[in-house]
Amino acid sequence: MPPKTDYIDGHRQLINKGEENEMEVFGYKTQSCRQALCIMGGLLTCGFLFLLLYWKPEWNVWTNCAPCCLEQADVVLLRTTDDFRSYRRKAVLWVRLAAGSREGSGGHSEAPILSAQMHLLKKTIVTTELKFRFIQVQMVKYIWDLTGKQFVKVQGLDDSLSGRDIHSLFGEGLSQEEQEVRRIIVGPNTIDIDIPPIWKLLFKEVLNPFYVFQVFSVILWFTEQYAEYALTIVIMSVVSLALSVYHVRQQSLKLHGLVASHNNTLVTVCRKDGGWEEVLSSQLVPGDIFQISGCKQSVPCDAILLSGGCVVNESMLTGESIPVVKLALSQLESPGPWMSGGPDSYKRHILFCGTQVIQTRADEQGVVRAVVLQTGFNTAKGELVRSIMYPKPTDFKLYRDASRFLMFLISTALLGMVYSVCVWSLNGESAGQVISKALDVITIAVPPALPAALTVGILYAQRRLSHSGVFCISPQRINMCGQMNLVCFDKTGTLTEDGLDLWGLSLAKHSSFAPVFQFSPGILLPWGPSFVAMVTCHSLIRIDGVPQGDPLELKMFEATGWVVDEDAERGTQSVLMKPGPQASKAPVAGVLVLQQFPFSSGLQRMSVVTQELGSDELVVYLKGAPERVASLCRPETVPASFPAHLSLYTQQGFRVIGMAYRSLGPAGDLSSISREAVESELTFLGLLILENRPKPETGPVLQELSSARIRSVMVTGDNLETAVTVANNSGMVPKTSRVIQVEAAPPSGSTPASVTWRLLEEPKHNCSTIDSCVITELDQNCSDYHFVMTGKTYEVILRHFHSLLPKLLLNGTVFARMSPGQKTSLVEEFQRLEFVVGMCGDGANDCGALKMAHAGISLSEQDASVASPFTSKIPNIECVPLLIREGRAALVTSYCVFKYMALYSMSQYLGVLLLYWQRNSFGNYQFLFEDLAINTVIGFTMNLNHAHPKLAPRWPPAQLMSPPMLLSVVLNVILSLALQTAGFLAVQQQAWYLPNDIYSACTPGNASSSAGNGTHNSTLSVPCGPGFKSYENTTVWLLSLFSCITVAFIFSRGKPFRKAIYTNYLFVLVLLSQLAVCLFFLFADVPGLYQFMDLVCTPTVWRLHILVMLLVYFVVALAIEEFIIENRTLWLWLRRCAGVQSQSCYRKLQRALEKEAGWPPLSGTQYAGCSMAFDNKAFEEHRETGH
């Protein structure tokens, strides 16, 4: 396929169009005068402008460069086209080819070295100077196309070449000079993962806005002699930096270890007119011919097999540890490009980078040759590594709302700064003191520990998941799991058992079916065409004496008692099957498989050409999806009862395989025979019936998800009827629900595309036609319905009825015969309806969908699991509710921590502003105790609550800025302000209060003992050591401490998403210890402690008043949270009164469908571009409001 680019205009273009990493490219030219102005601005702002331009690369480009056309640009600005619209800056680079290449031109305008190069080189090299320009984005080169005036992704071999072209152009290899030119253009065949030095990682981390703010705060605190807390923050920051750098470096080391061997292997390469030579794999370039040496070799690049045959293990890519047979690309001239047959066709010729060669079968010359297709990060393994290095950003409202709320706190802090400047200026303080006090407000209003506390909560959840056998490589997605409302499941190996058991064989006999032959120990199938089909029609290979391959084929082959003779190879594709010790008597010594047409999920079948030993006759055997097999057979050989007979077994949940055969006549040359010619005019043999039992955990898990109002969808490659039956038996589709099959046909000639609805009914015994079989008992007044369809129907609807697709997806439950690409597309379409989608699969053909989903859960332990955010060692779908429970608990905990940190900072902020009115403030040790011993400890232990063991039938709030959350924060801020203001004013009304005597409330003994510590403390305007002592200070600080502990307790709500607070033993212990210490501060009369903490003595009655105020505060705050904020009934009533409805796309569609007459259609056909016509008299639109 050609590079996916879209030229928009001279200044910008689109690259990677339609892909996950689609980006816009804008051209800019560097301006020296602008650069000079930016340098001056950076110096004048003490480097802050430099930081700002570092954080915002788009501002950097806009200030230093001027827009220009891409052809003249020396800098480009890249912008992603997703919701994030993130920017990055890239320099445009020039590279000149080696001088030796230029000398070979003989003075001509175009060097002969380019004449045999890939088409892309001719379009990108400035032939007069032999140089080219490019940009490198996410480890991939995009070079400037001189003809198309755009950047194009560097490709390997030209996709437009035919099989004959590839053999003729590259069959003899490349010369040394050709290879050097290609290496300069494409780059080395390496997947380099740089391990950045520690100093570089530290520098990058320190420039994070959070740490810049920390540095600013620490400098400010040191200038104010707040050294203790500043040192504490420095220590915490250093530890946090060290852990962060260690984690990043370890990830780099692991990733480097994963690909290290790729860059250092030796391969034997064919040189044009130079024979074979051994080189490092890093020197390979597209077009090189190299040998596949043998067993256990790791393929160093993506390559096309040109001669011989290979068996490879592709578990690194697919997660499925099943040997895959690779065939050589035919030299026969084809009408189109070699990749035109579709992925299932051309992938059988490709050896993917990173896969392991298990066996080789040499050609007549004794070698297995392949031509390099892609190198480096353009290979399949390179794409996998890039997906890990540059993961898809998670679009989650929590993080966006958190940023907005932090901006709100900063705005509040700015108001406080204005207030501070006014108060301290009017009181005659120096400019330095005014600035210092104003800056203090920012460090108080914005909680410095918030990002760390939120991160710790996610890490705790990740640790709990790993202890339960679920491993996560993208921790940010854990919170997203808390909002998951739809889960797609693969069927085989996920909902059902991995293995299949042979149940029976139903052979076709004349115009009907013979009695079923049931497999049982000791009873073998008699000799016949169906027996030979089971012996030969598979892709099993023998490794270390043991047959390996697809579990279905293993069961089928083992039932015959025959063996694969690995020592009796006949050519590159020939394998001998012969009777084993346990086999029944056979009239032949063996059957030779001469040619194999591998299974294709698109074609839904495989076939082999065989020859019995001692016979000249060639016979083709085919197996696959029964409907597809029957369509390839002569009609007179297919029993008339085929549809009903097939339905009878599929509706009982059996896996059914169709088999057929055909005689090709005497043996001849097979090199010129096509698959289409072989797989036609077949004789139908019968149906092989296998039992695929649902896992015992499937039903209860699906019921749990349904009770929690989480949709379950089946996405499988199996037969539709089998999938519907499994869905019924497992509870995914209730027995009382309507099941409506949607069938679509593509346009044919003058007939437009059509879509047909058919109501399936409950199966009846002894049914003679498929139409008489019913799947579900119909209640005409039932509003519950489910659409089921095949991948073919889905594809037609996607192309020709796209406006209808969302309606079908809203109640689509079973999607059968789905290809890997269709699975990925389906997940994406669900996401467009604004579902939060999970995907659970066993790794076989599910990798694309696992990566696309918000939360992909792989049940495979193969290396392919690195492509999935979550990997489960639990071999069933119990990991899904576990992940959702932990996600909900983590999400609610994040909300709680955020609310608590916001309340704590605002409480301290309000207290400081109150004290500023009297030119007072909290003492350094008061700040230290509240910040470190109270709030930091609470922030880190509040996260330890475990998930509730039962999924609640509702979701946590979808966003931080939701009305209940905002109201909770606002009311608690108002309550905290009222509490501290009341204490601030009330203490001034006490009879013992004297504003200029902080010892007026003490007994004479205490007064005299305190007086000895320094009578200069009696004046409020004079600092006492590092702090300010006053009755207002003591009262407000104690109220602030207790209010922090109170809201921490109130916000740590348990049900319905977390366990009760008392199960978080460490958190409860922390709260009780803090409460005890604070009560000690309140009631103790320890002069040394009070002096150290800048507290003053107050009468016991006043301390009891403080305690009463705190009890009232606790009761009111608890009542607000329980009876207003967490009162779901109240909020639902308010929503109804205000007419507020969910604005999610799928919710709006649900409401629209409830008003649409005649939906869902139970029968009838609709044509593309025509109005719908169907009979819908039985349907009554009395559905409940969507859940």
Side-chain angles (χ1 to χ4, degrees):
M1 294 181 291
K4 292 186 178 179
T5 58
D6 188 13
Y7 187 64
I8 299 175
D9 55 42
H11 173 56
R12 62 175 179 149
Q13 76 165 90
L14 202 63
I15 60 173
N16 305 326
K17 185 177 180 181
E19 297 180 10
E20 187 176 300
N21 58 340
E22 182 181 270
M23 284 181 262
E24 287 180 291
V25 184
F26 301 87
Y28 288 88
K29 191 79 171 176
T30 305
Q31 301 289 313
S32 300
C33 58
R34 292 191 178 197
Q35 286 183 314
L37 289 173
C38 285
I39 293 173
M40 290 177 59
L43 295 175
L44 291 174
T45 58
C46 300
F48 180 74
L49 180 60
F50 294 146
L51 276 175
L52 198 60
L53 297 183
Y54 172 79
W55 293 333
K56 305 290 287 185
E58 65 272 27
W59 293 2
N60 190 333
V61 174
W62 295 337
T63 54
N64 286 281
C65 309
C68 69
C69 64
L70 286 167
E71 189 172 13
Q72 299 174 354
D74 59 4
V75 169
V76 296
L77 186 62
L78 302 165
R79 183 177 68 186
T80 60
T81 57
D82 55 21
D83 294 338
F84 295 91
R85 298 280 175 171
S86 57
Y87 288 87
R88 69 191 69 180
R89 179 188 185 275
K90 290 291 178 180
V92 179
L93 305 175
W94 282 91
V95 170
R96 188 181 298 275
L97 299 185
S101 300
R102 177 72 188 276
E103 292 169 2
S105 66
H108 297 290
S109 62
E110 181 173 351
I113 190 63
L114 302 181
S115 60
Q117 299 301 316
M118 49 187 169
H119 182 56
L120 182 61
L121 304 189
K122 295 183 179 182
K123 298 192 299 179
T124 57
I125 296 177
V126 180
T127 54
T128 56
E129 302 177 24
L130 286 181
K131 64 179 183 178
F132 65 95
R133 61 200 293 261
F134 71 94
I135 57 175
Q136 188 157 351
V137 184
Q138 293 183 351
M139 313 306 291
V140 173
K141 270 186 180 179
Y142 295 82
I143 54 182
W144 181 252
D145 183 352
L146 296 170
T147 306
K149 304 294 183 184
Q150 60 181 332
F151 286 102
V152 294
K153 186 177 180 180
V154 169
Q155 296 290 324
L157 298 187
D158 194 347
D159 296 338
S160 64
L161 296 174
S162 66
R164 179 182 292 275
D165 293 335
I166 292 175
H167 277 275
S168 62
L169 290 174
F170 306 104
E172 298 179 0
L174 301 175
S175 67
Q176 188 74 31
E177 193 175 20
E178 287 175 323
Q179 193 198 47
E180 288 177 2
V181 173
R182 286 172 177 259
R183 190 179 302 116
I184 294 172
I185 298 288
V186 180
N189 178 37
T190 56
I191 303 177
D192 286 324
I193 307 297
D194 291 331
I195 303 176
I198 294 178
W199 69 266
K200 193 172 183 179
L201 289 174
L202 280 172
F203 184 75
K204 187 176 179 180
E205 286 292 326
V206 168
L207 290 182
N208 183 288
F210 168 67
Y211 286 112
V212 171
F213 177 71
Q214 293 282 49
V215 171
F216 163 77
S217 302
V218 166
I219 293 173
L220 179 64
W221 293 332
F222 271 120
T223 60
E224 297 183 338
Q225 300 178 352
Y226 187 26
E228 293 84 354
Y229 187 62
L231 285 173
T232 302
I233 290 297
V234 168
I235 293 171
M236 290 176 62
S237 297
V238 168
V239 172
S240 177
L241 276 170
L243 290 174
S244 178
V245 168
Y246 173 78
H247 177 72
V248 172
R249 188 171 172 82
Q250 286 299 110
Q251 288 293 100
S252 298
L253 287 170
K254 287 180 182 178
L255 206 52
H256 179 80
L258 180 67
V259 299
S261 60
H262 166 86
N263 303 326
N264 301 316
T265 58
L266 290 173
V267 292
T268 304
V269 177
C270 178
R271 292 276 178 255
K272 187 182 291 185
D273 302 325
W276 296 90
E277 67 172 301
E278 201 170 60
V279 299
L280 284 173
S281 61
S282 59
Q283 298 182 23
L284 291 175
V285 297
D288 266 335
I289 297 292
F290 69 100
Q291 284 188 18
I292 305 297
S293 58
C295 187
K296 304 301 182 183
Q297 177 185 0
S298 179
V299 182
C301 58
D302 284 356
I304 305 172
L305 195 61
L306 294 186
S307 68
C310 285
V311 179
V312 298
N313 183 349
E314 294 186 343
S315 63
M316 192 276 296
L317 300 177
T318 65
E320 187 175 25
S321 188
I322 293 177
V324 180
V325 177
K326 299 293 182 177
L327 306 177
L329 181 67
S330 174
Q331 297 189 49
L332 295 177
E333 184 63 60
S334 59
W338 72 279
M339 299 179 71
S340 58
D344 289 323
S345 175
Y346 67 74
K347 281 185 178 180
R348 60 180 177 169
H349 306 304
I350 300 179
L351 302 172
F352 292 104
C353 179
T355 58
Q356 190 178 63
V357 177
I358 300 174
Q359 283 185 357
T360 59
R361 297 172 185 169
D363 61 6
E364 292 78 6
Q365 299 177 0
V367 295
V368 180
R369 297 183 307 132
V371 60
V372 178
L373 175 63
Q374 299 280 12
T375 57
F377 281 97
N378 289 327
T379 63
K381 185 173 183 178
E383 290 286 344
L384 179 61
V385 173
R386 287 202 310 122
S387 70
I388 300 172
M389 294 174 64
Y390 308 101
K392 179 182 176 183
T394 53
D395 181 15
F396 195 49
K397 294 179 180 177
L398 171 65
Y399 305 116
R400 287 183 290 167
D401 289 348
S403 301
R404 292 170 184 167
F405 197 79
L406 283 176
M407 293 305 297
F408 168 76
L409 291 179
I410 293 173
S411 302
T412 306
L414 293 176
L415 294 177
M417 287 180 65
V418 174
Y419 166 84
S420 303
V421 169
C422 295
V423 169
W424 291 97
S425 298
L426 292 174
N427 281 277
E429 290 291 335
S430 65
Q433 186 74 0
V434 171
I435 292 173
S436 175
K437 293 300 181 182
L439 292 177
D440 260 345
V441 175
I442 294 182
T443 64
I444 294 170
V446 181
L450 176 59
L454 291 175
T455 302
V456 166
I458 297 296
L459 295 179
Y460 285 158
Q462 185 180 13
R463 187 182 65 180
R464 290 194 295 267
L465 284 171
S466 64
H467 288 166
S468 301
V470 179
F471 301 93
C472 174
I473 63 171
S474 181
Q476 293 79 11
R477 292 181 184 257
I478 295 177
N479 273 341
M480 297 190 73
C481 295
Q483 284 294 316
M484 196 187 303
N485 51 16
L486 186 147
V487 187
C488 297
F489 293 98
D490 181 37
K491 183 181 77 69
T492 307
T494 302
L495 297 175
T496 59
E497 298 287 356
D498 291 316
L500 294 166
D501 295 320
L502 280 180
W503 185 81
L505 178 64
S506 182
L507 295 174
K509 186 176 182 181
H510 306 301
S511 60
S512 62
F513 285 92
V516 175
F517 173 87
Q518 291 194 324
F519 294 94
S520 59
I523 302 177
L524 297 174
L525 183 69
W527 177 265
S530 57
F531 184 92
V532 183
M534 293 174 62
V535 165
T536 60
C537 198
H538 54 75
S539 56
L540 300 178
I541 61 170
R542 190 162 176 167
I543 301 174
D544 298 329
V546 180
Q548 292 190 18
D550 185 88
L552 182 151
E553 294 182 337
L554 273 173
K555 286 288 184 182
M556 181 184 73
F557 183 69
E558 290 170 354
T560 65
W562 282 44
V563 295
V564 180
D565 188 357
E566 61 181 353
D567 300 321
E569 297 183 354
R570 308 289 195 276
T572 61
Q573 297 184 30
S574 302
V575 181
L576 178 64
M577 309 294 172
K578 64 180 185 181
Q582 306 298 323
S584 57
K585 272 197 168 185
V588 296
V591 180
L592 195 63
V593 178
L594 301 175
Q595 186 163 345
Q596 181 186 105
F597 297 100
F599 176 78
S600 162
S601 59
L603 299 175
Q604 298 179 344
R605 63 180 184 270
M606 75 161 292
S607 61
V608 291
V609 179
T610 68
Q611 181 182 7
E612 295 179 2
L613 293 183
S615 171
D616 290 335
E617 182 184 17
L618 298 181
V619 182
V620 58
Y621 292 94
L622 178 143
K623 71 173 173 62
E627 307 92 333
R628 185 57 61 90
V629 172
S631 69
L632 299 173
C633 295
R634 290 179 288 117
E636 64 270 17
T637 66
V638 182
S641 60
F642 170 79
H645 198 73
L646 172 62
S647 183
L648 181 66
Y649 293 108
T650 57
Q651 290 175 8
Q652 297 177 57
F654 288 108
R655 177 85 178 269
V656 182
I657 303 297
M659 298 190 300
Y661 80 112
R662 172 193 170 192
S663 173
L664 298 179
D669 183 16
L670 294 178
S671 62
S672 60
I673 194 168
S674 67
R675 181 168 190 164
E676 291 74 17
V678 167
E679 297 176 346
S680 61
E681 296 297 314
L682 300 167
T683 298
F684 186 74
L685 281 174
L687 301 174
L688 186 65
I689 306 164
L690 301 100
E691 192 173 15
N692 189 202
R693 301 184 183 93
K695 294 180 179 179
E697 301 85 2
T698 297
V701 169
L702 293 179
Q703 179 59 45
E704 183 180 7
L705 294 178
S706 177
S707 300
R709 298 164 66 187
I710 298 171
R711 275 187 63 190
S712 299
V713 174
M714 186 188 299
V715 189
T716 177
D718 205 350
N719 175 278
L720 179 63
E721 283 80 9
T722 301
V724 172
T725 302
V726 171
N728 268 293
N729 294 340
S730 62
M732 185 178 287
V733 175
K735 300 288 186 182
T736 56
S737 299
R738 288 184 172 97
V739 177
I740 304 168
Q741 182 176 348
V742 184
E743 296 175 292
S748 176
S750 60
T751 305
S754 63
V755 57
T756 302
W757 286 267
R758 184 164 63 90
L759 182 65
L760 302 181
E761 297 180 337
E762 187 170 307
K764 298 178 181 178
H765 297 291
N766 303 320
C767 53
S768 58
T769 66
I770 194 169
D771 292 330
S772 63
C773 295
V774 208
I775 286 184
T776 146
E777 197 175 288
L778 178 64
D779 174 6
Q780 294 294 338
N781 294 320
C782 179
S783 62
D784 190 16
Y785 60 92
H786 299 262
F787 291 118
V788 300
M789 67 187 75
T790 62
K792 175 184 174 183
T793 293
Y794 172 79
E795 195 71 31
V796 173
I797 292 174
L798 189 64
R799 290 176 180 271
H800 302 284
F801 299 91
H802 198 268
S803 61
L804 178 65
L805 184 61
K807 297 181 179 181
L808 297 177
L809 295 184
L810 203 59
N811 286 79
T813 303
V814 176
F815 298 83
R817 296 294 189 209
M818 297 285 282
S819 67
Q822 289 169 342
K823 290 183 179 182
T824 305
S825 171
L826 179 66
V827 169
E828 190 173 12
E829 291 297 329
F830 274 127
Q831 289 175 333
R832 286 178 180 169
L833 288 176
E834 298 183 9
F835 284 104
V836 180
V837 183
M839 173 71 197
C840 183
D842 59 357
N845 299 323
D846 296 323
C847 283
L850 290 170
K851 287 179 62 178
M852 178 60 67
H854 292 110
I857 312 163
S858 172
L859 301 186
S860 167
E861 295 184 35
Q862 301 296 329
D863 288 339
S865 61
V866 298
S868 175
F870 299 94
T871 303
S872 172
K873 283 191 174 181
I874 305 171
N876 54 65
I877 63 172
E878 286 182 333
C879 60
V880 175
L882 169 67
L883 185 58
I884 296 174
R885 287 195 297 268
E886 287 294 347
R888 289 182 172 185
L891 182 58
V892 170
T893 299
S894 296
Y895 288 152
C896 291
V897 170
F898 202 98
K899 285 170 59 179
Y900 172 75
M901 286 293 182
L903 259 297
Y904 133 67
S905 62
M906 293 305 295
S907 174
Q908 196 175 75
Y909 168 79
L910 294 172
V912 168
L913 292 186
L914 279 173
L915 294 176
Y916 272 10
W917 185 254
Q918 292 188 333
R919 298 172 59 209
N920 201 351
S921 183
F922 292 146
N924 283 355
Y925 288 105
Q926 290 175 334
F927 274 123
L928 181 66
F929 182 81
E930 185 171 3
D931 289 340
L932 191 61
I934 300 293
N935 300 304
T936 302
V937 176
I938 287 177
F940 281 85
T941 56
M942 182 184 282
N943 291 289
L944 293 171
N945 265 35
H946 286 232
H948 197 273
K950 183 179 179 181
L951 278 177
R954 60 187 179 95
W955 300 277
Q959 52 189 0
L960 186 64
M961 308 295 280
S962 62
M965 298 287 290
L966 288 177
L967 184 64
S968 175
V969 172
V970 169
L971 289 180
N972 278 282
V973 167
I974 293 173
L975 194 60
S976 178
L977 176 62
L979 174 69
Q980 295 185 65
T981 304
F984 182 83
L985 296 176
V987 73
Q988 297 175 358
Q989 306 303 316
Q990 302 305 307
W992 44 264
Y993 172 81
L994 291 175
N996 296 321
D997 184 2
I998 59 172
Y999 305 109
S1000 60
C1002 298
T1003 62
N1006 285 339
S1008 59
S1009 63
S1010 298
N1013 295 328
T1015 57
H1016 62 277
N1017 296 334
S1018 61
T1019 304
L1020 286 174
S1021 60
V1022 180
C1024 176
F1028 291 86
K1029 292 185 178 182
S1030 72
Y1031 293 118
E1032 290 89 348
N1033 171 291
T1034 300
T1035 300
V1036 171
W1037 185 70
L1038 289 173
L1039 291 174
S1040 177
L1041 284 186
F1042 281 104
S1043 66
C1044 287
I1045 298 173
T1046 298
V1047 294
F1049 173 79
I1050 293 173
F1051 287 166
S1052 295
R1053 184 180 175 86
K1055 290 183 179 180
F1057 305 114
R1058 299 187 298 172
K1059 288 185 177 179
I1061 184 175
Y1062 58 79
T1063 62
N1064 187 352
Y1065 306 116
L1066 183 59
F1067 180 61
V1068 172
L1069 180 62
V1070 164
L1071 289 185
L1072 291 177
S1073 302
Q1074 291 175 339
L1075 183 62
V1077 172
C1078 291
L1079 286 173
F1080 180 76
F1081 281 148
L1082 179 61
F1083 288 104
D1085 284 324
V1086 182
L1089 176 64
Y1090 273 37
Q1091 174 71 22
F1092 185 76
M1093 295 302 297
D1094 291 324
L1095 299 175
V1096 296
C1097 297
T1098 56
T1100 303
V1101 174
W1102 176 244
R1103 303 180 192 191
L1104 292 175
H1105 284 170
I1106 290 177
L1107 192 60
V1108 170
M1109 282 191 288
L1110 288 170
L1111 290 174
V1112 172
Y1113 171 81
F1114 172 77
V1115 171
V1116 175
L1118 184 63
I1120 288 174
E1121 200 70 18
E1122 288 295 323
F1123 299 114
I1124 299 178
I1125 306 303
E1126 297 294 338
N1127 190 338
R1128 183 171 170 78
T1129 304
L1130 172 64
W1131 286 103
L1132 290 176
W1133 177 78
L1134 290 174
R1135 286 170 64 92
R1136 283 195 299 268
C1137 292
V1140 176
Q1141 294 180 315
S1142 172
Q1143 295 304 304
S1144 296
C1145 185
Y1146 72 93
R1147 291 290 196 192
K1148 290 192 285 188
L1149 184 58
Q1150 280 179 338
R1151 294 193 292 269
L1153 288 181
E1154 288 174 359
K1155 300 174 183 177
E1156 185 171 327
W1159 186 267
L1162 303 185
S1163 62
T1165 300
Q1166 177 186 356
Y1167 292 94
C1170 303
S1171 60
M1172 191 185 307
F1174 53 82
D1175 180 15
N1176 197 33
K1177 295 178 181 178
F1179 181 68
E1180 297 181 17
E1181 193 172 3
H1182 294 295
R1183 295 194 295 276
E1184 296 178 359
T1185 303
H1187 65 272

